[in-house]
């Protein structure tokens, strides 16, 4: 007897060149570097150039993930792009990425779960691969979040940045009893009754505009740690592990205080937590794969490691995925 497992084969990331520091923001809104760092941990963020779109960031990250997996686009038969900032209302940004990668076979679609999008996309790719709908997938989180900000609203405009991260995953048949590898368990959750705590004040069928990010910051903060802990503990229980067995915790990078609070409540020491929020700010669905990419590239995450991904965001949505890392 064999079982199907979804293994991570490669990781890539891409950040637009332009860096916007807190000091620069001080010149345009009533804020200070000290306030932003103390409340969020954010020191700077990257901003996409004029004419540089979400699909461009996604395509760069995808190419790097393919190179790291030693695969070509011909090997891929599924692309999922998690994004809240698509190039166009339609077609899906995934279809535009497919075009930029020169791929006309397989499946491509977007996943809209705001900051939880990448974790949702990983669980979705895992299901597609385990059900035989595809064999190898590019799972991408990509955002030009700075394009839906109200740059006069200091309570939100200091928090977000642009970027993309991608992984290549592959379905592999393992003998029953073989050492465990790949995605071990995932949990996804949403609670639409909370939507007004974090949303855009516009959209295609309401205002005919994109709208801007609106957030009840304190309310989001109040719910975040509990929701994260709920799914992380659930995934650990599903896979038969405890928090002290984790090698790495790769959280959504919204706010340093939320990350610290969640790590503490779950029981993960700070030295096992990957942090990029200081350099990237909150890149929504791109934050988890970019953090993952950084920790794999610098050699912290190694084959055999037990890695927990988690995210929460607008909706509310939240989720976690546990991976036994492979080569
Ligand atoms: N610079 C200076 N002062 C500011 C700024 C700013 N950028 N933003 C708000 N303030 C002021 C407020 O106006 C308020 O002033 P007042 O007391 O005179 O009214 C004061 O600072 C305190 O504001 P609070 O909203 O109470 O500040 P808080 O400590 O809650 O921090 C923050 C705000 C950072 C947004 C926090 O609530 C938070 O982190 N929330 C979580 C939300 C989050 O991270 N969202 C990211 C997107 S969601 C996601 O990805 C999951």
């Amino acid at each position: 007897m064999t079982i199907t497992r979804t293994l991570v084969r490669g990781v890539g990331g891409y950040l637009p060149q332009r860096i916007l520091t807190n000091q620069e923001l001080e010149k345009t809104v009533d804020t200070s570097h000290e306030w932003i760092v103390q409340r969020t941990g954010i020191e700077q963020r990257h901003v996409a150039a004029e004419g540089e779109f979400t699909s461009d960031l996604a395509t760069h990250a995808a190419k790097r993930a393919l190179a790291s997996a030693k695969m070509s686009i011909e090997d891929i038969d599924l692309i999922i792009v998690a994004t809240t900032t698509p190039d166009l209302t339609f077609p899906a940004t995934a279809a535009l990425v497919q075009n930029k990668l020169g791929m006309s076979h397989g499946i491509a679609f977007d996943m809209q779960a705001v900051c939880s999008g990448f974790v949702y996309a990983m669980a979705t790719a895992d299901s597609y691969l385990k059900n035989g709908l595809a064999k190898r997938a590019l799972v991408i989180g990509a955002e030009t979040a700075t394009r839906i900000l109200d740059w006069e609203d200091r309570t939100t405009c200091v928090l977000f940045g642009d970027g993309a991260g991608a992984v290549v995953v592959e379905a592999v048949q393992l003998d029953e009893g073989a050492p465990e590898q790949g995605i071990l368990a995932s949990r996804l959750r949403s609670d639409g009754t909370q939507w007004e705590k974090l949303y855009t004040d516009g959209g295609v069928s309401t205002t005919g505009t994109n709208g801007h990010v609106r957030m009840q910051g304190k309310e989001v903060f109040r719910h975040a740690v509990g929701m994260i802990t709920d799914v992380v503990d659930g995934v650990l229980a599903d896979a038969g592990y405890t928090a002290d067995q984790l090698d790495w915790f790769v959280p959504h990078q919204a706010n340093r205080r939320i990350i610290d609070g969640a790590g503490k409540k779950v029981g993960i020491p700070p030295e096992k937590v990957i942090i990029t929020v200081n350099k990237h700010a909150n890149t929504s669905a791109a934050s988890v794969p970019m953090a993952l990419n950084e920790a794999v590239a610098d050699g912290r995450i190694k084959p055999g490691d037990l890695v927990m991904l988690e995210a929460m965001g607008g909706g509310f949505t939240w989720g976690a995925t546990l991976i036994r890392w492979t080569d």
Side-chain angles (χ1 to χ4, degrees), residues 15-80:
L15 284 158
Q17 228 175 354
R18 160 105 167 97
I19 292 173
L20 177 64
T21 62
N22 292 346
Q23 286 82 359
E24 284 176 84
L25 280 173
E26 283 176 1
K27 294 179 193 150
T28 55
V29 280
D30 182 16
T31 191
S32 69
H33 174 68
E34 292 67 30
W35 191 96
I36 301 171
V37 170
Q38 198 239 327
R39 303 289 174 122
T40 71
I42 297 166
E43 292 161 27
Q44 60 173 48
R45 71 285 296 139
H46 289 247
V47 178
E50 209 184 312
E52 191 174 36
F53 308 132
T54 296
S55 67
D56 296 315
L57 310 188
T59 302
H60 284 301
K63 284 182 178 169
R64 289 176 181 175
L66 284 170
S68 115
K70 298 185 179 63
M71 287 184 198
S72 80
I73 193 61
E74 294 307 314
D75 298 314
I76 302 297
D77 51 7
L78 169 64
I79 298 177
I80 308 179

Side-chain angles (χ1 to χ4, degrees), residues 19-255:
I19 292 173
L20 177 64
T21 62
N22 292 346
Q23 286 82 359
E24 284 176 84
L25 280 173
E26 283 176 1
K27 294 179 193 150
T28 55
V29 280
D30 182 16
T31 191
S32 69
H33 174 68
E34 292 67 30
W35 191 96
I36 301 171
V37 170
Q38 198 239 327
R39 303 289 174 122
T40 71
I42 297 166
E43 292 161 27
Q44 60 173 48
R45 71 285 296 139
H46 289 247
V47 178
E50 209 184 312
E52 191 174 36
F53 308 132
T54 296
S55 67
D56 296 315
L57 310 188
T59 302
H60 284 301
K63 284 182 178 169
R64 289 176 181 175
L66 284 170
S68 115
K70 298 185 179 63
M71 287 184 198
S72 80
I73 193 61
E74 294 307 314
D75 298 314
I76 302 297
D77 51 7
L78 169 64
I79 298 177
I80 308 179
V81 175
T83 189
T84 302
T85 48
D87 289 22
L88 304 169
T89 301
F90 78 85
T93 300
L96 301 174
V97 171
Q98 194 184 19
N99 176 50
K100 285 179 178 168
L101 292 170
M103 172 183 167
S104 57
H105 63 276
I107 311 164
F109 61 88
D110 286 359
M111 178 68 60
Q112 161 49 304
V114 202
C115 301
S116 310
F118 182 78
V119 174
Y120 267 61
M122 282 294 270
T124 304
D126 186 32
S127 297
Y128 270 58
L129 266 51
K130 282 186 175 145
N131 285 309
L133 282 161
K135 179 92 174 85
R136 293 186 202 90
L138 261 169
V139 186
I140 306 168
E143 302 278 13
T144 46
T146 61
R147 297 203 170 129
I148 52 168
L149 296 177
D150 172 354
W151 289 99
E152 289 177 6
D153 175 10
R154 67 176 182 174
T155 69
T156 52
C157 77
V158 303
L159 301 176
F160 294 87
D162 302 335
V167 301
V168 173
V169 289
E170 179 177 32
V172 172
Q173 297 298 319
L174 296 178
D175 287 333
E176 233 175 330
E180 64 173 20
Q181 297 178 59
I183 296 178
L184 305 181
S186 296
R187 280 203 187 192
L188 303 178
R189 285 279 291 109
S190 62
D191 176 0
T193 67
Q194 312 273 357
W195 75 270
E196 281 177 300
K197 299 196 166 104
L198 181 54
Y199 66 101
T200 59
D201 59 2
V204 179
S205 92
T206 49
T207 59
T209 64
N210 295 323
H212 293 120
V213 174
R214 301 296 172 211
M215 180 177 72
Q216 298 172 31
K218 270 199 191 312
E219 281 296 302
V220 176
F221 202 103
R222 201 167 65 77
H223 284 82
V225 172
M227 292 192 297
I228 292 164
T229 314
D230 164 50
V231 283
V232 169
D233 286 348
V235 165
L236 284 169
D238 292 345
Y241 284 104
T242 50
D244 57 306
Q245 291 172 292
L246 287 175
D247 295 295
W248 297 106
F249 185 51
V250 187
H252 170 48
Q253 309 284 321
N255 182 309

